[in-house]
Amino acid sequence: MSFINKNQPYGFLFVGEGHFPYEYIKEKSFRFRNSVFIFHYHWHEELPFCRYVLTDHQAMGRKAVEYFAQRGIKKILFPAVFEKEYTGPHSSIQVQIMKSMKEHAAAAGLEFDESLFCRTHGGAKMEDMLLQIPDCDLQNWGIFAYSDTNIVHRVFPALQQRGIDPDTIPILSNYNTPHAREYHFDSFDIQAQKTILKAVDMLTGVCNDQKVLIEPEIVMHHKTN
């Protein structure tokens, strides 16, 4: 924090990661009165002197359910990544997305495997859990995973170990990285440019909003799209 103590720039853009010093920001509110958190925020309370341009994870869950419903899928798998320092929904993007998916799946008449999510989020190995799903069920499942990297390095190998071609299962992921293009699966674009532009408008006084949620958009890469 030595830079902050010696300099007073116009404002700050913060990415609110889990280990971000939220308490320090709260204690030194006079130094951070022109600050905007972007993409995510992982503290139990919002700081009223800060502003927010965050990814809309509620919308992501809704759009994921709509994606699978449009493809005739009746059941949704969400193998989670283990989070050792989980302290509640505010601390986990995965849990926020899961809660939205569960809610919207129920409203749409789709089944959501919350048990799989909870077991993997709690530490069960994702690959092992995928290997235990009966073959007959996999014919009816769609798979969502939190990041493209997990799809390529964990979900695909588990499916291939069972002799299942990943192209035959609707798969959706997050962050629209080169992995999605290379391996031909669909992925959410979190609209980084739109987020940054809105945050800069807040810093410079062009926009007076306190909090803006940016809806992600699905980018289609699957060969049959």
Side-chain angles (χ1 to χ4, degrees):
M1 293 297 178
S2 59
F3 169 81
I4 294 170
N5 291 331
K6 296 177 182 179
N7 300 275
Q8 288 294 309
Y10 189 85
F12 297 92
L13 291 179
F14 294 132
V15 178
E17 299 289 355
H19 295 286
F20 188 88
Y22 295 104
E23 291 185 0
Y24 180 88
I25 301 299
K26 183 177 182 179
E27 293 171 1
K28 308 296 183 181
S29 59
F30 64 95
R31 292 178 179 165
F32 301 101
R33 55 191 176 274
N34 191 22
S35 298
V36 180
F37 282 91
I38 55 177
F39 300 116
H40 34 256
Y41 184 82
H42 290 311
W43 210 33
H44 61 277
E45 63 176 297
E46 291 187 358
L47 301 171
F49 56 89
C50 294
R51 285 164 292 170
Y52 305 85
V53 186
L54 308 178
T55 303
D56 191 338
H57 296 115
Q58 173 73 14
M60 182 180 288
R62 170 178 55 80
K63 290 185 175 184
V65 171
E66 292 171 352
Y67 171 92
F68 290 116
Q70 290 168 1
R71 286 155 179 76
I73 295 301
K74 300 301 182 183
K75 303 177 181 180
I76 302 174
L77 285 174
F78 183 171
V81 178
F82 172 51
E83 293 185 296
K84 183 178 181 180
E85 299 183 8
Y86 176 70
T87 58
H90 68 275
S91 69
S92 172
I93 295 173
Q94 290 187 107
V95 171
Q96 293 168 27
I97 298 170
M98 181 276 289
K99 286 181 172 292
S100 177
M101 290 180 69
K102 177 184 174 183
E103 173 190 347
H104 288 96
L110 276 64
E111 180 181 343
F112 180 82
D113 192 339
E114 186 177 3
S115 175
L116 172 70
F117 178 90
C118 291
R119 283 180 290 166
T120 49
H121 188 253
K125 191 175 180 181
M126 183 187 300
E127 296 88 336
D128 291 344
M129 294 298 98
L130 291 173
L131 289 172
Q132 292 175 19
I133 298 170
D135 288 337
C136 58
D137 283 345
L138 273 174
Q139 297 174 8
N140 301 310
W141 286 105
I143 298 176
F144 175 83
Y146 175 62
S147 74
D148 295 350
T149 298
N150 284 307
I151 289 290
V152 171
H153 296 295
R154 305 184 70 179
V155 173
F156 276 12
L159 295 176
Q160 291 163 345
Q161 186 174 337
R162 299 179 58 158
I164 298 171
D165 182 354
D167 284 340
T168 65
I169 298 177
I171 292 176
L172 179 62
S173 189
N174 193 23
Y175 294 122
N176 190 34
T177 69
H179 280 319
R181 294 191 294 274
E182 180 179 356
Y183 291 90
H184 307 293
F185 57 87
D186 302 332
S187 186
F188 278 104
D189 180 341
I190 62 171
Q191 303 293 297
Q193 183 175 9
K194 184 182 294 186
T195 299
I196 296 298
L197 289 175
K198 177 61 72 173
V200 170
D201 282 348
M202 285 182 175
L203 286 180
T204 57
V206 174
C207 171
N208 294 319
D209 292 336
Q210 178 70 17
K211 183 177 181 180
V212 174
L213 298 178
I214 303 294
E215 288 198 11
E217 299 293 339
I218 297 175
V219 180
M220 305 297 188
H221 297 291
H222 193 269
K223 294 177 181 179
T224 60
N225 286 327

